[in-house]
Amino acid sequence: MARAERKPSTARTPLPPVRLPKNAIRKIRLGVSFAEYDETLTAPGIFVETPATLAAREPGRQKYFFVGRRGTGKTATSIHLVASDHHATQVHPGIFSPSNQYFAQGQFLQPAQKPFRSLISAFRSALQEEVVALWFRCCGASNQHLAPQVHQVAASALADDFDTRLLSHVDELLGALSAKDDAKWLKRINQPKDLVPHLAQCRYAETSVHTVVLDRLDEYWDGSDIAVTYLTALMHAALQMNTQEPWSRVLVFIRENVFERVRAFDPEFARLETSVVGMDWTQEQLIELVERRMNLPFNTRLALGGPTWNYFFEDPQHAAQEIFGYSQNRPRDTLIYCDFAIESAVAHQSERIRVEDVLDARRRFSDSRLKDLGDEYSENYPQISVVLSRFYGTGRQFTLRAIEDLLAQLLDDDEVKRACAGWIFQHATPELFVRLMYNIGFLGYAKDGENLFRSIGPRDTTPPPISATSHLVVHPSYWSALDLQERLITELDATRPYLRMGYITDLPEAMTLEEYQLILQALADQLDELPPGDADSQTYEDTIGKAIRLCFHRSLTNVEPRVRDISNRVVRDWIASNRADAGFWAVMRQRYDATQVIFECKNYAKLTASDFQQTAYYVGSEIGRFVIISYRGDPTKNDVPKTYVEHIKRIAHDKDAMVLLITDQDVKVFIRQAINGKVKDAHIQDKYDRMVRAIS
């Protein structure tokens, strides 16, 4: 709900009787707002229970699909669940857009037909193998009594990763179906059911439920129809296992905009919806979240449920109205806003967070939220940030007539038509455009003196009815970033020029958005066509260098090729200055002193010991201890070969350095995200996490 602006207050609430050390506010570390980077998350007593976390931990609640918008705690919940239960494992599937699809997309539309049933069976087999692998990791030799069929499944599960096994099952099933080999297909599709009696004999499973947690599904998500088909099949396979195999659970954490694609696609969605739970938070839970993190550095801790909040905020009631009214009741946004306010208080040498600090933080928070909104929906609506920028300098409220005028300008805007052609014309009426803006949380409705916005979970997917008298309201969290005027816009002059926003045109080398996207697409095409081998090594090196410069331009600058050291002996393919102040690249600078990031390009599929020895020469205290090797590895395998891991482990031990390996598939993920305007670096963070676990 939007609230009226309030001038800074001069009234101060007294400090509670419990006193913390002087300058206690300087010791507060709320943690990193992105859960995959947040070491605070696993600290004792830091986690806040919500209905969703209780459902994730308690099998009897029969909730398997956890849905919420970005920043609602999906990854945090999955990390906490796996960390607190050694009978749980986490999987990040990446194979939602396979190269070989066997059948046209239209043949997967009927769930009862063979192609879609084959996908469900393939996913169920891969999930069963994941459970069996978890059994063997948990209880080892005690599984010797199991049936040979289970040991055979375990051998496959322990030899390959989830995506590789899934591809094998899909190839077997759809391959047999396309070859019209009915006998082979029938035998193969019944394998998951035939395995169930043998799994039921596992004595270990009688006392423990083993949980497979699937998260970060959007990292390889390209928004295609086949990706939606595969995700729908995964959800049905998970439901089958949860209801038919009581010794195992499969929990799927899904971003809300991705979940909506499944809802629209699946004619049997009713089977799934009773097992869905939203990642909703109340204001009381969010206050507890902040309070637990505020208390973490201190031996003497304040009480939860208000006292800690009241201690650090001079005007706690107004601070709560401001922060929770702007952060849309999302834990990540709440932490970001509070962190900005704390920084302001420390800068002004205050021991408490004043109203002025909360207001000072608003602009930074608003800029962050607007960028994050465009990033969140970039896969569904590429370059939607361009459309959002066209609201700049207008008003906070619009009539339907004003929205119609704005939409007419958008549809006549050459840059919008080029960047957003894939979706903008499908929302070419005011009603459809308003529904889109409501669904992403940008616009709400003014009704009976209140402003209504969509919830952050899977509820309220249909906006209130719209009419000529409806007033549409931009969410308050975007007011400052867009410099919106405090007035109702009833109509827009067709001759009114756009007021451009800086971050939309923040592209490298003074490119236009169209040039930027065309060059990136050309790089992706070149990568597909370029053969491995010495003859094209320089071309491959140039391609990777251009991709680095264009995809990571916000964090890595001054990208230079063929950089030699002072002795003229060591030649690094590419080197980039690490200027990031947040996220993955900032963590690398802090952990490995990586003020410079080295990129090595190998135009062949198999690395040798000399490649890693060469890399070891590059790292040092002056330049940093972080190197990325790009090579032409197998795109179907997420796991790094064991021999490579041993080399990297040796380098980490000897030089406290990290070597990260990326393949063409990873580079194309970076390119696709850059084309769509997505700036989050979760994919490379996931590659780093996998490597750290492999060498630990």
Side-chain angles (χ1 to χ4, degrees):
M1 180 185 302
R3 292 174 174 84
E5 297 275 2
R6 174 173 171 174
K7 301 296 182 183
S9 171
T10 57
R12 299 187 177 189
T13 57
L15 284 170
V18 177
R19 297 299 296 273
L20 295 178
K22 186 178 180 181
N23 295 325
I25 196 169
R26 299 185 182 183
K27 300 180 184 296
I28 294 176
R29 299 291 183 270
L30 294 184
V32 183
S33 54
F34 289 91
E36 53 265 40
Y37 311 142
D38 190 6
E39 296 179 358
T40 305
L41 189 62
T42 55
I46 204 69
F47 200 75
V48 176
E49 295 287 1
T50 67
T53 61
L54 291 174
R57 197 166 56 240
E58 299 178 8
R61 294 178 183 265
Q62 298 182 339
K63 298 294 184 182
Y64 315 121
F65 308 113
F66 298 80
V67 180
R69 290 184 60 187
R70 177 184 286 185
T72 52
K74 298 184 298 300
T75 298
T77 301
S78 65
I79 290 174
H80 178 75
L81 179 63
V82 173
S84 59
D85 182 1
H86 73 279
H87 296 125
T89 186
Q90 197 171 36
V91 177
H92 303 147
I95 190 65
F96 287 110
S97 296
S99 301
N100 190 349
Q101 298 177 14
Y102 289 99
F103 295 95
Q105 170 62 20
Q107 294 177 274
F108 290 100
L109 296 181
Q110 295 300 322
Q113 298 304 311
K114 291 180 178 179
F116 191 76
R117 288 169 56 201
S118 299
L119 288 182
I120 294 176
S121 178
F123 271 107
R124 186 169 178 181
S125 290
L127 291 169
Q128 284 178 330
E129 290 168 344
E130 202 68 37
V131 171
V132 172
L134 183 58
W135 282 351
F136 273 68
R137 289 195 295 268
C138 289
C139 53
S142 63
N143 278 306
Q144 295 302 316
H145 68 283
L146 291 178
Q149 293 90 334
V150 178
H151 283 282
Q152 184 178 356
V153 169
S156 171
L158 296 171
D160 290 310
D161 65 5
F162 180 86
D163 287 337
T164 303
R165 289 185 276 107
L166 175 64
L167 276 177
S168 176
H169 296 315
V170 170
D171 286 342
E172 288 178 10
L173 281 156
L174 294 185
L177 192 60
S178 63
K180 298 182 179 180
D181 189 341
D182 290 342
K184 181 179 179 181
W185 180 82
L186 283 170
K187 181 179 179 180
R188 180 59 190 81
I189 200 169
N190 288 324
Q191 276 188 11
K193 293 181 181 179
D194 295 340
L195 186 63
V196 169
H198 302 294
L199 295 176
Q201 295 174 7
C202 181
R203 289 198 298 267
Y204 196 79
E206 293 174 1
T207 57
S208 301
V209 175
H210 290 69
T211 304
V212 177
V213 179
L214 296 104
D215 188 22
R216 305 189 199 175
L217 304 183
D218 59 305
E219 288 184 11
Y220 291 92
W221 184 263
D222 63 3
S224 64
D225 290 339
I226 194 64
V228 178
T229 302
Y230 269 61
L231 177 56
T232 307
L234 167 61
M235 294 178 68
H236 280 280
L239 184 64
Q240 287 183 8
M241 285 192 61
N242 285 316
T243 55
Q244 300 172 21
E245 302 180 30
W247 51 84
S248 64
R249 280 200 310 158
V250 179
L251 308 182
V252 187
F253 290 80
I254 313 174
R255 213 169 67 191
E256 174 265 342
N257 61 308
V258 175
F259 175 77
E260 289 304 320
R261 294 285 302 277
V262 174
R263 186 200 294 269
F265 166 81
D266 186 8
E268 295 192 357
F269 181 78
R271 295 177 181 267
L272 305 175
E273 61 182 345
T274 56
S275 301
V276 174
V277 61
M279 304 295 294
D280 294 313
W281 289 69
T282 65
Q283 181 171 313
E284 291 77 13
Q285 290 166 340
L286 291 169
I287 288 178
E288 181 185 346
L289 172 74
V290 177
E291 288 182 321
R292 286 182 179 274
R293 292 175 179 243
M294 283 180 160
N295 271 316
L296 190 60
F298 308 114
N299 294 324
T300 301
R301 298 186 177 181
L302 301 169
L304 302 176
T308 305
W309 182 274
N310 296 341
Y311 185 95
F312 285 105
F313 286 94
E314 283 187 354
D315 190 342
Q317 183 177 0
H318 174 61
Q321 291 176 346
E322 182 80 13
I323 291 171
F324 299 119
Y326 276 64
S327 64
Q328 298 179 296
N329 276 14
R330 287 199 274 194
R332 178 188 296 171
D333 292 350
T334 300
L335 291 177
I336 290 173
Y337 202 142
C338 289
D339 199 46
F340 289 162
I342 290 170
E343 289 180 13
S344 177
V346 171
H348 290 96
Q349 299 183 347
S350 173
E351 293 194 30
R352 303 181 75 189
I353 303 167
R354 308 163 302 158
V355 173
E356 291 87 342
D357 296 318
V358 176
L359 297 179
D360 285 345
R362 181 193 296 173
R363 179 59 187 240
R364 287 182 64 192
F365 172 75
S366 185
D367 288 340
S368 171
R369 276 300 309 127
L370 187 61
K371 292 178 182 179
D372 197 52
L373 180 66
D375 188 17
E376 180 177 0
Y377 286 95
S378 62
E379 298 290 3
N380 299 66
Y381 311 106
Q383 294 295 342
I384 193 172
S385 293
V386 177
V387 169
L388 300 179
S389 74
R390 299 318 197 239
F391 283 84
Y392 184 80
T394 56
R396 298 176 182 176
Q397 296 191 45
F398 292 79
T399 63
L400 187 61
R401 167 65 186 276
I403 292 291
E404 187 175 3
D405 292 342
L406 177 64
L407 183 59
Q409 293 185 17
L410 290 172
L411 296 175
D412 194 44
D413 185 312
D414 290 337
E415 185 176 9
V416 171
K417 288 189 288 187
R418 284 194 302 267
C420 310
W423 59 270
I424 188 66
F425 295 106
Q426 298 171 15
H427 301 83
T429 67
E431 293 78 12
L432 291 175
F433 183 73
V434 167
R435 173 168 292 195
L436 169 62
M437 294 292 109
Y438 174 83
N439 284 342
I440 69 173
F442 183 76
L443 285 180
Y445 288 73
K447 183 178 181 181
D448 300 329
E450 294 186 352
N451 295 332
L452 306 177
F453 297 93
R454 185 180 174 182
S455 70
I456 59 176
R459 302 176 304 179
D460 302 332
T461 56
T462 303
I466 188 171
S467 67
T469 60
S470 298
H471 285 184
L472 294 312
V473 185
V474 178
H475 194 280
S477 59
Y478 310 115
W479 289 355
S480 296
L482 290 167
D483 286 329
L484 299 182
Q485 304 173 48
E486 191 176 357
R487 67 188 184 95
L488 171 68
I489 305 296
T490 57
E491 60 181 354
L492 288 174
D493 187 348
T495 63
R496 163 190 169 270
Y498 285 127
L499 299 175
R500 303 287 175 162
M501 293 183 59
Y503 84 89
I504 294 297
T505 57
D506 181 24
L507 297 175
E509 303 173 11
M511 293 181 184
T512 65
L513 180 59
E514 183 181 20
E515 292 171 338
Y516 180 68
Q517 292 177 318
L518 288 174
I519 293 174
L520 282 169
Q521 187 58 56
L523 289 176
D525 295 340
Q526 187 174 28
L527 204 57
D528 285 332
E529 298 167 1
L530 192 65
D534 292 341
D536 293 288
S537 59
Q538 186 60 53
T539 304
Y540 176 71
E541 184 178 318
D542 292 342
T543 302
I544 297 300
K546 290 177 183 177
I548 295 165
R549 188 167 60 248
L550 295 179
C551 295
F552 300 122
H553 67 92
R554 295 176 178 86
S555 302
L556 305 181
T557 62
N558 195 23
V559 182
E560 293 185 357
R562 311 295 295 174
V563 180
R564 297 177 179 269
D565 70 350
I566 194 170
S567 65
N568 209 35
R569 291 184 300 174
V570 177
V571 182
R572 307 170 182 91
D573 288 346
W574 292 94
I575 190 167
S577 298
N578 185 359
R579 306 282 177 83
D581 56 6
F584 170 79
W585 298 104
V587 172
M588 294 302 100
R589 190 175 67 244
Q590 296 165 7
R591 171 64 181 85
Y592 300 105
D593 298 322
T595 56
Q596 307 293 319
V597 179
I598 301 166
F599 291 84
E600 277 296 296
C601 307
K602 309 297 182 185
N603 193 33
Y604 39 82
K606 293 185 178 180
L607 300 176
T608 64
S610 61
D611 293 322
F612 293 98
Q613 292 167 1
Q614 178 189 39
T615 301
Y617 286 121
Y618 294 165
V619 299
S621 57
E622 296 83 5
I623 200 169
R625 305 184 305 281
F626 182 64
V627 181
I628 294 178
I629 298 179
S630 176
Y631 74 114
R632 312 301 294 274
D634 187 345
T636 66
K637 293 184 178 292
N638 276 335
D639 284 353
V640 176
K642 292 181 180 179
T643 54
Y644 299 177
V645 173
E646 290 301 322
H647 288 301
I648 295 171
K649 186 175 182 178
R650 191 176 302 111
I651 294 172
H653 179 268
D654 294 343
K655 297 201 171 187
D656 189 26
M658 173 56 70
V659 178
L660 199 61
L661 305 180
I662 61 175
T663 64
D664 290 1
Q665 182 188 26
D666 301 309
V667 176
K668 287 189 284 188
V669 169
F670 302 145
I671 289 174
R672 188 191 75 240
Q673 292 180 341
I675 289 174
N676 290 339
K678 190 171 185 177
V679 298
K680 190 184 176 191
D681 46 26
H683 179 69
I684 196 169
Q685 173 70 36
D686 183 56
K687 300 289 292 186
Y688 171 77
D689 290 343
R690 287 172 180 262
M691 184 57 68
V692 169
R693 292 165 189 162
I695 66 176
S696 298

